[in-house]
Amino acid sequence: MRQQARRWHRDNPAFMEEALQSMDRCQDAAERDLARRWHTEALDIGFWTKKDVVQYPLACLHAGGSLITVPSFCQYLDQFTEADKDIMQKLLDTAPLHYWTYLKNKTAEGRWTP
């Protein structure tokens, strides 16, 4: 089921784009290109639910870079298995405000900068 969901998302990136556009994101070509790249990255990481596949690119757009380059995000992902879903929602619900405030620093040049 998860592999079929990933295949569907790969074949239908417009779903993610339309969801982001409904949140007033991806209004220009440059942001759409970035969202597509992070959409592919979300699928490569192993995300498969609609919510995760939309929220990962949204979080990357917010951060101005790939979340997979952030060590604390990688450590967060380590606690989940292939069976888990809505992983990004759990992060949104549990990450403290300062995590999101300094996320741009964490993704800058793919390394942590305090």
Side-chain angles (χ1 to χ4, degrees), residues 1-10 43 48-49:
M1 180 176 87
R2 290 178 287 279
Q3 288 297 353
Q4 289 175 336
R6 284 188 196 102
R7 193 173 315 118
W8 185 88
H9 284 294
R10 282 193 202 284
L43 298 171
W48 59 278
T49 65

Side-chain angles (χ1 to χ4, degrees), residues 45-56:
I45 288 169
F47 291 139
W48 59 278
T49 65
K50 290 180 178 179
K51 192 178 252 187
D52 282 334
V53 172
V54 170
Q55 287 177 331
Y56 182 79

Side-chain angles (χ1 to χ4, degrees), residues 2-110:
R2 290 178 287 279
Q3 288 297 353
Q4 289 175 336
R6 284 188 196 102
R7 193 173 315 118
W8 185 88
H9 284 294
R10 282 193 202 284
D11 294 343
N12 297 286
F15 171 81
M16 177 269 312
E17 291 175 22
E18 289 169 9
L20 292 179
Q21 286 173 349
S22 73
M23 295 179 241
D24 291 327
R25 298 305 303 250
C26 292
Q27 300 299 324
D28 61 38
E31 198 167 72
R32 268 192 305 278
D33 288 343
L34 287 172
R36 284 183 196 132
R37 181 171 55 137
W38 290 320
H39 173 259
T40 300
E41 189 172 278
L43 298 171
D44 292 344
I45 288 169
F47 291 139
W48 59 278
T49 65
K50 290 180 178 179
K51 192 178 252 187
D52 282 334
V53 172
V54 170
Q55 287 177 331
Y56 182 79
L58 181 62
C60 289
L61 288 170
H62 170 75
S66 171
L67 287 184
I68 202 66
T69 64
V70 179
S72 60
F73 182 74
C74 293
Q75 290 167 354
Y76 169 77
L77 288 180
D78 285 343
Q79 63 185 308
F80 296 100
T81 67
E82 180 76 6
D84 291 310
K85 62 181 184 173
D86 298 339
I87 295 168
M88 289 300 297
Q89 186 64 51
K90 291 173 187 163
L91 179 64
L92 293 171
D93 291 342
T94 60
L97 181 60
H98 66 77
Y99 183 86
W100 299 103
T101 303
Y102 298 105
L103 201 51
K104 286 185 188 292
N105 294 342
K106 295 176 186 178
T107 59
E109 300 176 20

